[in-house]
Amino acid sequence: MNLAAFPRTKLCQAPTPLEFLPRLTKALGGPQVWMKRDDLTGMGLGGNKVRKLEFLVGDALAKGADHLVTQGAVQSNHVRQTAAVAAKLGLACTAVLEHRIETNDSAYLNNGNVLLDRLLGCTIEYQPGGTDMQAAIEEVGARLTASGARPYLIPGGGSNAIGALGYAAVALELVTQANEQGLRIDRLVHATGSAGTQAGLVAGLHALSSPIRVLGIGVRAPREKQEANVLRLAQATAAHMGVDRPVPAEAVEANCDYVGAGYGQPTPGMVEAVRMLAQLEGIFLDPVYSGKGMAGLMDLVRKGTFGPGENLVFLHTGGSSGLFGYVDVFNAQAA
Ligand SMILES: *Cc1c(COP(=O)(O)O)cnc(C)c1O
């Protein structure tokens, strides 16, 4: 795996810490739980999208772009990180936000990531739930081109074979770090949505012939669809990296039992996970992704899915600024 061939703009504070979580491990009474802190990538309050943006923006700059265009749900962490990177590099940024969740809640509509998007000077357009969001950014791109700008379109979540290189790079970073710390990692668990994080990890670990198994906890799509999306993108990413051994379907595993009523809809397990990580480890998860990912990890530990001697690493993908968009959910259950 040689990532040096790809244009890349350094944006992350890396390597991010790989930490043992002693109080969570004790409370769960199962395997040893570690955390890879990609909530601490640094740029614009951090998170997993900065990893992908290193390669996406590298490509954008190589192509002479002056305007980043992307899309996401109203409380998108990806949009916030893209807007921060654009500001840092002096690029314009337009984001199309989808009202994917039906709500009039003022915190959801104005606080959290939306507040930060506005502070970052990002131009925001809104679309109703169910809009074809890729078509929406293509329309914005055409409009910008017609007005003389040089837009670069980034798909939702930054999830294509270029963005996913960011997580192939994390596979190498994590394997190196674990070797240095003398840690044998059995499983890597994280929240999976637009699939680029898991696809990049799977492609990178495959390229390294690492035995670490990746488990994605879904936040939106049902299992079959999620696994198909991850596998397709992992294969495209491996091909893009010039890995000629095909990524086997068995390398892709997603558990989509923790979505609840839908994308961005709170679940009791998510609220419990967010509170437990705060109170046991002083770490903030988020309501849409890492909270549900950790809820899945905790439930699977309690069900005895993992052996007591296993070492689990939870990849914290960031997103805690989204908590401020969910004020009532946490205040109601803060007793
Ligand atoms: C986007 C996001 C994810 C999911 O990553 P994908 O690459 O879209 O699957 C997980 N956690 C957080 C906090 C995110 O913002």
Side-chain angles (χ1 to χ4, degrees):
M1 182 169 72
N2 181 11
L3 296 173
F6 299 99
R8 183 174 184 176
T9 303
K10 189 169 162 32
L11 302 167
C12 293
Q13 302 282 342
T16 56
L18 174 61
E19 302 171 346
F20 182 52
L21 302 183
R23 287 184 16 97
L24 181 71
T25 295
K26 187 152 178 261
L28 295 176
Q32 309 282 301
V33 185
W34 295 67
M35 185 178 273
K36 173 70 171 161
R37 299 293 304 273
D38 268 16
D39 55 322
L40 303 179
T41 52
M43 197 63 233
L45 294 183
N48 63 340
K49 303 312 182 304
V50 187
R51 297 281 197 177
K52 303 178 188 181
L53 286 163
E54 288 204 343
F55 289 94
L56 290 163
V57 169
D59 187 47
L61 294 177
K63 290 178 171 150
D66 60 9
H67 198 132
L68 303 181
V69 181
T70 198
Q71 53 98 349
V74 169
Q75 282 292 337
S76 168
N77 300 302
H78 164 68
V79 165
R80 181 239 317 148
Q81 290 163 78
T82 303
V85 168
K88 165 94 177 158
L89 298 175
L91 303 169
C93 185
T94 298
V96 186
L97 299 183
E98 178 193 3
H99 284 291
R100 201 176 290 169
I101 296 176
E102 228 170 284
T103 178
N104 293 320
D105 183 58
S106 160
Y108 185 84
L109 296 173
N110 296 299
N111 206 332
N113 287 306
V114 183
L115 169 70
L116 301 177
D117 296 342
R118 292 177 182 152
L119 282 175
L120 290 162
C122 176
T123 300
I124 300 176
E125 298 183 9
Y126 290 93
Q127 289 289 345
T131 298
D132 178 342
M133 295 299 286
Q134 179 60 28
I137 60 170
E138 283 168 13
E139 198 241 89
V140 171
R143 223 192 300 143
L144 288 169
T145 302
S147 72
R150 292 190 301 280
Y152 183 86
L153 272 51
I154 298 176
S159 287
N160 58 20
I162 298 171
L165 294 173
Y167 271 91
V170 173
L172 179 58
E173 178 178 308
L174 182 63
V175 165
T176 306
Q177 211 169 19
N179 286 342
E180 282 166 8
Q181 296 187 20
L183 172 67
R184 183 203 73 242
I185 300 173
D186 298 298
R187 294 260 197 167
L188 179 57
V189 182
H190 68 90
T192 180
S194 68
T197 301
Q198 188 169 0
L201 289 169
V202 166
L205 291 169
H206 174 69
L208 296 167
S209 301
S210 164
I212 298 173
R213 292 170 65 188
V214 180
L215 172 62
I217 306 289
V219 299
R220 189 175 183 188
R223 175 180 190 143
E224 224 169 81
K225 184 174 175 197
Q226 188 66 21
E227 289 185 340
N229 287 346
V230 173
L231 181 61
R232 196 180 322 111
L233 186 51
Q235 287 170 339
T237 306
H240 192 53
M241 291 192 296
V243 178
D244 41 23
R245 289 168 297 121
V247 177
E250 307 83 73
V252 173
E253 190 184 351
N255 180 323
C256 300
D257 296 342
Y258 301 94
V259 178
Y263 174 86
Q265 303 285 354
T267 62
M270 177 280 287
V271 173
E272 184 200 18
V274 168
R275 293 183 65 201
M276 272 181 76
L277 268 287
Q279 293 176 20
L280 293 173
E281 301 288 350
I283 291 171
F284 298 117
L285 299 176
D286 85 279
V288 180
Y289 296 95
S290 56
K292 286 185 179 174
M294 181 57 82
L297 180 149
M298 288 177 11
D299 187 58
L300 293 169
V301 168
R302 287 166 177 158
K303 285 178 171 155
T305 309
F306 311 110
E310 281 194 42
N311 292 312
L312 304 186
V313 173
F314 182 78
L315 172 69
H316 189 339
T317 42
S320 61
S321 47
L323 290 170
F324 303 103
Y326 284 77
V327 175
D328 290 347
V329 172
F330 296 99
N331 280 344
Q333 308 203 28

CSV table of all heavy atoms in Angstrom, one decimal, residues 254-286:
chain,number,residue,atom,x,y,z
A,254,ALA,N,-21.4,-5.6,8.9
A,254,ALA,CA,-22.2,-4.5,9.5
A,254,ALA,C,-23.3,-5.0,10.3
A,254,ALA,O,-24.0,-6.0,9.9
A,254,ALA,CB,-22.7,-3.5,8.4
A,255,ASN,N,-23.5,-4.4,11.5
A,255,ASN,CA,-24.7,-4.8,12.3
A,255,ASN,C,-25.6,-3.6,12.4
A,255,ASN,O,-25.2,-2.5,12.8
A,255,ASN,CB,-24.2,-5.2,13.7
A,255,ASN,CG,-25.3,-5.5,14.6
A,255,ASN,OD1,-26.4,-4.9,14.6
A,255,ASN,ND2,-25.1,-6.5,15.5
A,256,CYS,N,-26.8,-3.7,11.8
A,256,CYS,CA,-27.7,-2.5,11.7
A,256,CYS,C,-28.9,-2.6,12.7
A,256,CYS,O,-29.9,-2.1,12.4
A,256,CYS,CB,-28.1,-2.3,10.2
A,256,CYS,SG,-26.6,-2.1,9.2
A,257,ASP,N,-28.6,-3.3,13.8
A,257,ASP,CA,-29.7,-3.5,14.8
A,257,ASP,C,-29.9,-2.3,15.7
A,257,ASP,O,-30.7,-2.4,16.7
A,257,ASP,CB,-29.5,-4.7,15.6
A,257,ASP,CG,-29.5,-6.0,14.7
A,257,ASP,OD1,-30.0,-5.9,13.6
A,257,ASP,OD2,-28.9,-7.0,15.2
A,258,TYR,N,-29.1,-1.3,15.6
A,258,TYR,CA,-29.1,-0.2,16.6
A,258,TYR,C,-29.5,1.2,16.0
A,258,TYR,O,-29.3,2.2,16.6
A,258,TYR,CB,-27.7,-0.1,17.3
A,258,TYR,CG,-27.4,-1.4,17.9
A,258,TYR,CD1,-26.6,-2.4,17.3
A,258,TYR,CD2,-27.9,-1.7,19.2
A,258,TYR,CE1,-26.4,-3.6,17.8
A,258,TYR,CE2,-27.6,-3.0,19.8
A,258,TYR,CZ,-26.9,-3.9,19.1
A,258,TYR,OH,-26.7,-5.2,19.6
A,259,VAL,N,-30.1,1.1,14.8
A,259,VAL,CA,-30.5,2.4,14.2
A,259,VAL,C,-31.7,3.0,14.9
A,259,VAL,O,-31.8,4.2,15.0
A,259,VAL,CB,-30.9,2.1,12.7
A,259,VAL,CG1,-31.4,3.4,12.0
A,259,VAL,CG2,-29.8,1.5,11.9
A,260,GLY,N,-32.6,2.2,15.5
A,260,GLY,CA,-33.8,2.7,16.1
A,260,GLY,C,-34.8,3.1,15.0
A,260,GLY,O,-34.9,2.5,13.9
A,261,ALA,N,-35.5,4.2,15.2
A,261,ALA,CA,-36.6,4.6,14.3
A,261,ALA,C,-36.1,5.2,13.0
A,261,ALA,O,-36.8,5.3,12.0
A,261,ALA,CB,-37.5,5.7,15.0
A,262,GLY,N,-34.8,5.5,13.0
A,262,GLY,CA,-34.2,6.0,11.7
A,262,GLY,C,-33.0,6.8,11.9
A,262,GLY,O,-32.6,7.1,13.1
A,263,TYR,N,-32.4,7.3,10.8
A,263,TYR,CA,-31.2,8.1,10.9
A,263,TYR,C,-31.5,9.4,11.8
A,263,TYR,O,-32.4,10.1,11.6
A,263,TYR,CB,-30.9,8.6,9.5
A,263,TYR,CG,-29.7,9.6,9.4
A,263,TYR,CD1,-28.4,9.1,9.4
A,263,TYR,CD2,-29.9,11.0,9.5
A,263,TYR,CE1,-27.3,10.0,9.4
A,263,TYR,CE2,-28.9,11.9,9.5
A,263,TYR,CZ,-27.6,11.4,9.5
A,263,TYR,OH,-26.6,12.3,9.5
A,264,GLY,N,-30.6,9.6,12.7
A,264,GLY,CA,-30.6,10.8,13.5
A,264,GLY,C,-31.7,10.8,14.6
A,264,GLY,O,-31.9,11.8,15.3
A,265,GLN,N,-32.5,9.7,14.7
A,265,GLN,CA,-33.5,9.6,15.7
A,265,GLN,C,-32.9,8.9,16.9
A,265,GLN,O,-32.3,7.9,16.9
A,265,GLN,CB,-34.7,8.7,15.2
A,265,GLN,CG,-35.3,9.1,13.9
A,265,GLN,CD,-36.2,10.3,14.0
A,265,GLN,OE1,-36.5,10.8,15.2
A,265,GLN,NE2,-36.7,10.8,12.9
A,266,PRO,N,-33.1,9.6,18.1
A,266,PRO,CA,-32.5,9.1,19.3
A,266,PRO,C,-33.0,7.7,19.7
A,266,PRO,O,-34.2,7.4,19.4
A,266,PRO,CB,-32.9,10.1,20.4
A,266,PRO,CG,-33.4,11.3,19.6
A,266,PRO,CD,-33.8,10.9,18.3
A,267,THR,N,-32.2,7.0,20.4
A,267,THR,CA,-32.6,5.7,21.0
A,267,THR,C,-32.1,5.7,22.4
A,267,THR,O,-31.2,6.3,22.8
A,267,THR,CB,-31.9,4.5,20.3
A,267,THR,OG1,-30.5,4.6,20.5
A,267,THR,CG2,-32.2,4.4,18.8
A,268,PRO,N,-32.8,4.9,23.3
A,268,PRO,CA,-32.4,4.8,24.7
A,268,PRO,C,-31.0,4.3,24.8
A,268,PRO,O,-30.2,4.8,25.7
A,268,PRO,CB,-33.4,3.8,25.3
A,268,PRO,CG,-34.6,3.8,24.4
A,268,PRO,CD,-34.1,4.2,23.0
A,269,GLY,N,-30.6,3.4,24.0
A,269,GLY,CA,-29.2,2.8,24.0
A,269,GLY,C,-28.2,3.9,23.7
A,269,GLY,O,-27.1,4.0,24.3
A,270,MET,N,-28.5,4.8,22.7
A,270,MET,CA,-27.6,5.9,22.4
A,270,MET,C,-27.4,6.8,23.6
A,270,MET,O,-26.3,7.2,23.9
A,270,MET,CB,-28.1,6.6,21.2
A,270,MET,CG,-27.3,7.8,20.7
A,270,MET,SD,-27.7,9.3,21.7
A,270,MET,CE,-29.3,9.8,21.1
A,271,VAL,N,-28.6,7.2,24.2
A,271,VAL,CA,-28.5,8.1,25.3
A,271,VAL,C,-27.7,7.5,26.5
A,271,VAL,O,-26.8,8.2,27.1
A,271,VAL,CB,-29.9,8.5,25.8
A,271,VAL,CG1,-29.9,9.3,27.1
A,271,VAL,CG2,-30.7,9.2,24.7
A,272,GLU,N,-27.9,6.2,26.7
A,272,GLU,CA,-27.1,5.5,27.8
A,272,GLU,C,-25.6,5.6,27.4
A,272,GLU,O,-24.8,5.8,28.3
A,272,GLU,CB,-27.6,4.1,27.9
A,272,GLU,CG,-26.8,3.4,29.1
A,272,GLU,CD,-26.8,1.9,29.0
A,272,GLU,OE1,-27.1,1.3,27.9
A,272,GLU,OE2,-26.5,1.3,30.1
A,273,ALA,N,-25.3,5.3,26.2
A,273,ALA,CA,-23.9,5.2,25.8
A,273,ALA,C,-23.2,6.6,25.9
A,273,ALA,O,-22.1,6.7,26.4
A,273,ALA,CB,-23.8,4.7,24.3
A,274,VAL,N,-23.9,7.6,25.5
A,274,VAL,CA,-23.4,9.0,25.5
A,274,VAL,C,-23.1,9.3,27.0
A,274,VAL,O,-22.0,9.8,27.4
A,274,VAL,CB,-24.3,10.0,24.9
A,274,VAL,CG1,-23.9,11.4,25.2
A,274,VAL,CG2,-24.3,9.8,23.4
A,275,ARG,N,-24.1,9.0,27.9
A,275,ARG,CA,-23.9,9.3,29.3
A,275,ARG,C,-22.8,8.5,29.9
A,275,ARG,O,-22.0,9.0,30.7
A,275,ARG,CB,-25.2,9.1,30.0
A,275,ARG,CG,-26.3,10.2,29.6
A,275,ARG,CD,-27.6,10.0,30.4
A,275,ARG,NE,-27.4,10.3,31.8
A,275,ARG,CZ,-28.1,9.9,32.8
A,275,ARG,NH1,-29.2,9.1,32.5
A,275,ARG,NH2,-27.9,10.2,34.0
A,276,MET,N,-22.7,7.2,29.6
A,276,MET,CA,-21.7,6.4,30.2
A,276,MET,C,-20.3,6.8,29.9
A,276,MET,O,-19.4,6.9,30.7
A,276,MET,CB,-21.9,4.9,29.8
A,276,MET,CG,-22.9,4.2,30.8
A,276,MET,SD,-23.1,2.4,30.3
A,276,MET,CE,-21.5,1.7,30.9
A,277,LEU,N,-20.1,7.1,28.6
A,277,LEU,CA,-18.7,7.5,28.2
A,277,LEU,C,-18.4,8.9,28.8
A,277,LEU,O,-17.2,9.1,29.2
A,277,LEU,CB,-18.6,7.6,26.7
A,277,LEU,CG,-18.1,6.3,26.0
A,277,LEU,CD1,-16.6,6.1,26.3
A,277,LEU,CD2,-18.9,5.0,26.5
A,278,ALA,N,-19.3,9.7,29.0
A,278,ALA,CA,-19.1,11.0,29.6
A,278,ALA,C,-18.7,10.8,31.1
A,278,ALA,O,-17.7,11.3,31.6
A,278,ALA,CB,-20.3,11.9,29.5
A,279,GLN,N,-19.5,9.9,31.8
A,279,GLN,CA,-19.3,9.8,33.2
A,279,GLN,C,-18.2,8.8,33.6
A,279,GLN,O,-17.7,9.0,34.7
A,279,GLN,CB,-20.7,9.4,33.8
A,279,GLN,CG,-21.7,10.6,33.7
A,279,GLN,CD,-23.1,10.3,34.1
A,279,GLN,OE1,-23.3,9.4,34.9
A,279,GLN,NE2,-24.0,11.1,33.7
A,280,LEU,N,-17.9,7.9,32.8
A,280,LEU,CA,-16.8,7.0,33.1
A,280,LEU,C,-15.5,7.4,32.6
A,280,LEU,O,-14.4,7.0,33.1
A,280,LEU,CB,-17.2,5.6,32.6
A,280,LEU,CG,-18.4,4.9,33.2
A,280,LEU,CD1,-18.7,3.6,32.5
A,280,LEU,CD2,-18.1,4.6,34.7
A,281,GLU,N,-15.5,8.1,31.5
A,281,GLU,CA,-14.2,8.3,30.8
A,281,GLU,C,-14.0,9.8,30.5
A,281,GLU,O,-12.9,10.2,29.9
A,281,GLU,CB,-14.0,7.5,29.5
A,281,GLU,CG,-14.1,6.0,29.7
A,281,GLU,CD,-12.9,5.4,30.4
A,281,GLU,OE1,-11.9,6.1,30.5
A,281,GLU,OE2,-12.9,4.2,30.8
A,282,GLY,N,-15.0,10.7,30.7
A,282,GLY,CA,-14.8,12.1,30.3
A,282,GLY,C,-14.8,12.3,28.8
A,282,GLY,O,-14.1,13.2,28.4
A,283,ILE,N,-15.4,11.4,28.1
A,283,ILE,CA,-15.3,11.5,26.6
A,283,ILE,C,-16.8,11.7,26.1
A,283,ILE,O,-17.7,11.0,26.5
A,283,ILE,CB,-14.8,10.2,26.0
A,283,ILE,CG1,-13.3,10.1,26.4
A,283,ILE,CG2,-15.0,10.1,24.5
A,283,ILE,CD1,-12.6,8.7,26.0
A,284,PHE,N,-16.9,12.7,25.1
A,284,PHE,CA,-18.2,13.0,24.6
A,284,PHE,C,-18.3,12.2,23.2
A,284,PHE,O,-17.6,12.4,22.3
A,284,PHE,CB,-18.3,14.5,24.3
A,284,PHE,CG,-18.3,15.3,25.6
A,284,PHE,CD1,-17.3,16.2,25.8
A,284,PHE,CD2,-19.2,15.1,26.6
A,284,PHE,CE1,-17.2,16.9,27.0
A,284,PHE,CE2,-19.2,15.8,27.8
A,284,PHE,CZ,-18.2,16.7,28.0
A,285,LEU,N,-19.4,11.4,23.2
A,285,LEU,CA,-19.8,10.8,21.9
A,285,LEU,C,-20.8,11.7,21.2
A,285,LEU,O,-20.9,12.9,21.6
A,285,LEU,CB,-20.4,9.4,22.2
A,285,LEU,CG,-19.5,8.4,22.9
A,285,LEU,CD1,-20.3,7.1,23.1
A,285,LEU,CD2,-18.3,8.1,22.0
A,286,ASP,N,-21.5,11.2,20.2
A,286,ASP,CA,-22.5,12.1,19.5
A,286,ASP,C,-23.8,11.3,19.3
A,286,ASP,O,-23.8,10.1,19.4
A,286,ASP,CB,-21.9,12.6,18.1
A,286,ASP,CG,-22.2,11.6,17.0
A,286,ASP,OD1,-21.4,10.6,16.9
A,286,ASP,OD2,-23.2,11.7,16.3
